[in-house]
Structures are given as structure tokens and as C-alpha cells.
Amino acid sequence: MSGAGAAGQEAVLTIERIGARGDGIARWDGRSVYVPFTAPGDRVRVRLGNAFGEGRAARLVQLLAPGARIAPVCRHFGACGGCALQHLAATAYAEAKESQIAAALSRQGLAAAVIAPLLRLPPGTRRRARFALEHPRTAAATPLVGFHARASHRIVDMEECAVLHPALVALARTLRPLIPRLWHRGGTGAATATLSDTGVDLLLDLAAPPELGALEHLAGFAEAQDLARLAWRAPGMEEPVPAAIRRPPRVVFSGVAVDLPADAFLQASAAAEAALTAEVLAGIGAARRVADLYAGLGTFSFALAIRAAVHAAEGSRETAAALAAAASRAGLQRLTVERRDLEARPLSPEELARFDAVVLDPPRAGAKAQSAALARSVVPRLVAVSCNPATFARDARLLVEGGYRLVRVQPIDQFVWSPHVELVAQFAR
Ligand SMILES: C[S@@+](CC[C@H](N)C(=O)[O-])C[C@H]1O[C@@H](n2cnc3c(N)ncnc32)[C@H](O)[C@@H]1O
């Protein structure tokens, strides 16, 4: 049976590969069927669901014969929406991530031969988490802290997490008793925790501004947990309000301490930051004048400035200011900083002519306007960092049409066990 009548039917299928969302993909009735938590080679009985894009969703009913599987490490795997790929054997895991990049490049007519094997990074190192919080309606239920179940608002109460740094897992436990003090029954919110180099920076998204008693309690909580900073925000407020600043939260890049604005971008772990920086440095070669575009707090700028004159451009006012202040405190005259919206006002080919390498690390939406300007430039070397293979491939095509060669793509497993992949690409002309 095909078409709309298929939903609810059972089928026996063999999983062929893993798709961009981390689902196993099998063929049924000439179309793709997406089955979460399956592995290539699995023989499975599934219940077919609704049409999904060109294919159809399905739910695993029974694993008849295992394919490229290992035992997941976390008790929440399968319920928690944080991880999708813990069950994949090493080769299948690497293939799942590498093939996403290959598929995105091939959709843009670009060769996949330049993709290096996935660089795996250790779990238990992630330094930022946004926990969902809930004060349940019923008196018998205890407060919930964790991540949402996949495609759901339901919170999976977290008892362990193999992805996060242990300091953040320990912090999550301490948030439970705080919830009834800050939220009415039935209320929900969020806590964003960042493990900075001076301690945890915690930002609470509350339903309403806290009463005086709750504020005092927050200050006591910050003291008891030895937080670097605790801030809160309520709906409609743009700027977070600090409840306690015990030490300025700071991150250290290549020996330079940078103040961490609440909500500023940070690479997911120190290990990922080191791997990305090494690839970026290798990519610029012997360049002496480098533009670091979408520079953030200077993850790459400070490393680049050890060997080159660097011009950093960043769109966020607070982030650019923190980067500029750190460069000035460190007396780094060869690092200049500009606040600039690179989508609205990309560096022009004329401005780019003074650099012999450009590094760009845009957000998920990519760097379309800046790539179009680079395509018309004479810069000999580019290093592109991306967390989204689709927008990367779109921008890469612009560069290749402008005469660049895509020399190498290094996939980096920054988002361990999620379907996401980070990459660093080198272009030359
Ligand atoms: C993926 S982060 C990379 C930051 C930095 N390279 C790092 O490794 O930490 C992207 C950065 O681009 C900035 N950004 C986003 N949109 C921008 C735009 N239109 N123009 C300039 N910067 C932008 C963000 O504020 C963020 O700091």
C-alpha cells in the first residue's frame, strides 16, 4: 500500500544510511523512510508514519538484526533529544557526518574528494548548555531540569549527561531546588550555563522579574555554587540583569583573557576550540596580513596575531567591544577590531586586497554576501569555518565560480553524538 493510506502500516526494512537529522534511512515503495535511532545495516520492523518531505517518517517497532551498532553510553539515549547517534559504531558514525558534507557539496556540483576523515573529539567536554526547566503542575511531581525530548516540549529530567563537562552536570542538579522559588506551578523557563575560565556563568530566563526575596536567594545560590556570575532575564527584556557578579567571567584565547558578555558565542568545548584553531592556522600558511571575519570574541584572532597582523570584524556590539578591550589590555597593536555587519556591508574586493589570507566563521545562515565579495577579490588563501554544510556548500560554490579551488575540508566532531558537524575548509587561487 502506498500514499496516504500507508500511515499506521508496519513494514520490514533494511537501513541503508544516516540522514542529516541523524535518522536511519531505508527505501520503501520507491521513497525514503526515516527511522530514528537505527544504524546502517539494521534489519528493522517499523510502523510507517506521515509523509515527510519527499519521503515518510517511521517509528522503530523491533530490531530484527543489528547493523553497525554499539551500546549507547547514556541512560537517557532515545528519550532525550540532545543525542541522536550514540548507538552508531565508529565507522558508521564517521560516515554519517562526512557524508552530510559530501552530499551538500554534491548538491552544489562540487567534488567530495577533498573531504578528510572526521576528527573525533572526546565527550564530557561541552562547556555550554541551555537547560529547560519546569515547575510541574501537580504537587507530587518534582521540578524538572534537562533537555527537551526530540521535537517536543516535554523535558527529559536529566540524571546524567555524557556530552557535557561534569561541572555542568553537577550544576544541573543544583537547579532543581531553585525552581519552586522562581516559577509558579506549571511555569517553565531556561538556564544557560557557560563554563568560563573563571567559573560558571549562569543566565536564567524567568517568566517574570523576581521578587526581592527571590533575588536574595539567587545571590545566596551564586555564593553556594561558587558561580562567576548569575544573571536573569524576563520576557520583553533585551539585556540580562546581573543578580551576582563574583568574578568577571572570562575566557583565555592564546594567553589573552577576554571578558565574556552574556550570550556571546563560544566554540562548544576547549578541545574543539583547539582543533579548529590548529586547522585555521594551518590553512593560512605563511600569510602575514589576515582578516578574521565573524571573529566573535577572538577565538582565532589572538592565535593568528602571534604570527600575523590581524583585522577582526564582528557584528555584535558587545562581542566586538569585549574583543577590542582584550586586545588593547594585552597591548596587541597588530590586532585591529571593527564592529561591522558583514551581511549588510561585507568587506569589498578593494578592502580585501590588502590581506593575503581571510578566515571566515559565519553563523548557521552562512556568509553569502561576504562570499560573493570574496569571489571578486584577489586574496590568495581563504579558510572557511562552518557549522552548517548546506550554507557552506552554497557559499563555496560562489567562491569556486569566482576562481577559487576548494583544496581541503576537515570535518570536526564538535557536536559529539548530535547529527551536527563542524568543518574547516581551505580555498586557494
Ligand atoms: C560561529 S560564530 C564564530 C565566532 C568566532 N570565530 C569563534 O570561533 O568564536 C559567528 C559570529 O558571527 C557573528 N555574526 C553573526 N551575524 C553577523 C553579521 N551579519 N556580521 C558580522 N558578524 C556576525 C556572531 O555574533 C558570532 O560572533
Side-chain angles (χ1 to χ4, degrees):
M1 175 170 307
S2 63
Q9 292 277 307
E10 280 197 358
V12 171
L13 308 170
T14 300
I15 302 298
E16 295 174 3
R17 62 194 168 86
I18 301 295
R21 291 162 189 258
D23 298 339
I25 302 181
R27 300 292 289 175
W28 182 82
D29 193 33
R31 283 166 187 243
S32 294
V33 175
Y34 301 92
V35 196
F37 307 118
T38 56
D42 277 357
R43 188 87 183 132
V44 290
R45 183 186 303 284
V46 303
R47 188 170 299 281
L48 298 171
N50 294 327
F52 178 72
E54 301 276 287
R56 183 168 289 284
R59 184 173 58 78
L60 178 63
V61 174
Q62 189 185 4
L63 178 62
L64 301 171
R69 282 179 170 267
I70 53 172
V73 297
C74 176
R75 77 180 85 172
H76 301 302
F77 183 68
C80 173
C83 288
L85 303 177
Q86 273 188 24
H87 63 299
L88 292 187
T91 309
Y93 182 91
E95 254 175 42
K97 300 222 169 182
E98 292 158 10
S99 64
Q100 266 193 56
I101 302 172
L105 287 174
S106 118
R107 277 194 292 276
Q108 296 291 343
L110 300 172
V114 291
I115 301 174
L118 178 73
L119 181 66
R120 292 201 69 168
L121 295 174
T125 57
R126 193 140 179 184
R127 62 184 166 188
R128 175 170 282 170
R130 184 171 163 83
F131 298 112
L133 313 177
E134 183 178 336
H135 190 188
R137 280 184 198 290
T138 53
T142 51
L144 303 176
V145 176
F147 299 123
H148 289 117
R150 189 173 143 150
S152 161
H153 290 299
R154 190 172 58 78
I155 297 171
V156 177
D157 201 31
M158 200 180 93
E159 292 184 42
E160 63 179 10
C161 178
V163 170
L164 296 181
H165 190 287
L168 295 186
V169 180
L171 177 81
R173 292 197 188 100
T174 68
L175 293 174
R176 270 188 202 96
L178 201 58
I179 293 173
R181 296 228 166 219
L182 297 168
W183 282 272
H184 297 299
R185 287 206 170 279
T188 57
T192 305
T194 306
L195 187 59
S196 82
D197 292 328
T198 53
V200 171
D201 183 23
L202 185 65
L203 172 61
L204 297 173
D205 280 298
L206 304 176
E211 309 281 339
L212 188 61
L215 272 178
E216 283 169 5
H217 189 78
L218 283 179
F221 177 81
E223 191 76 26
Q225 300 309 323
D226 192 26
L227 301 182
R229 175 172 59 191
L230 172 55
W232 61 272
R233 192 164 55 182
M237 288 171 53
E238 272 185 22
E239 294 295 316
V241 180
I245 304 178
R246 303 183 57 255
R247 296 177 293 279
R250 286 199 167 137
V251 279
V252 178
F253 299 124
S254 303
V256 180
V258 185
D259 287 328
L260 185 67
D263 261 1
F265 177 88
L266 209 51
Q267 300 293 350
S269 68
E273 180 189 307
L276 289 165
T277 305
E279 273 295 318
V280 165
L281 291 178
I284 65 147
R288 288 282 166 264
R289 296 163 306 161
V290 180
D292 183 15
L293 308 183
Y294 304 90
L297 292 169
T299 304
F300 307 135
S301 313
F302 292 106
L304 291 164
I306 293 172
R307 54 159 93 167
V310 179
H311 182 66
E314 159 62 37
S316 150
R317 183 189 307 277
E318 295 75 18
T319 304
L323 169 54
S328 149
R329 271 199 308 266
L332 272 175
Q333 281 161 9
R334 63 195 324 208
L335 172 57
T336 54
V337 181
E338 176 185 17
R339 185 203 170 203
R340 183 154 170 170
D341 182 336
L342 295 166
E343 197 50 37
R345 210 162 61 84
L347 266 71
S348 68
E350 295 71 34
E351 289 174 288
L352 290 163
R354 68 182 168 104
F355 300 110
D356 36 33
V358 169
V359 176
L360 64 165
D361 181 12
R364 283 189 73 73
K368 197 172 177 186
Q370 187 60 74
S371 300
L374 280 162
R376 290 182 283 116
S377 80
V378 294
V379 182
R381 273 168 176 265
L382 311 180
V383 182
V385 182
S386 169
C387 60
N388 184 343
T391 54
F392 163 72
R394 177 202 66 197
D395 297 345
R397 187 184 167 131
L398 290 174
L399 295 171
V400 168
E401 284 172 353
Y404 282 98
R405 278 176 298 112
L406 176 52
V407 179
R408 168 186 157 84
V409 180
Q410 175 64 65
I412 295 182
D413 196 19
Q414 148 138 275
F415 310 106
V416 178
W417 292 322
S418 85
H420 299 291
V421 62
E422 183 85 15
L423 65 87
V424 182
Q426 291 177 25
F427 295 85
R429 71 147 95 242

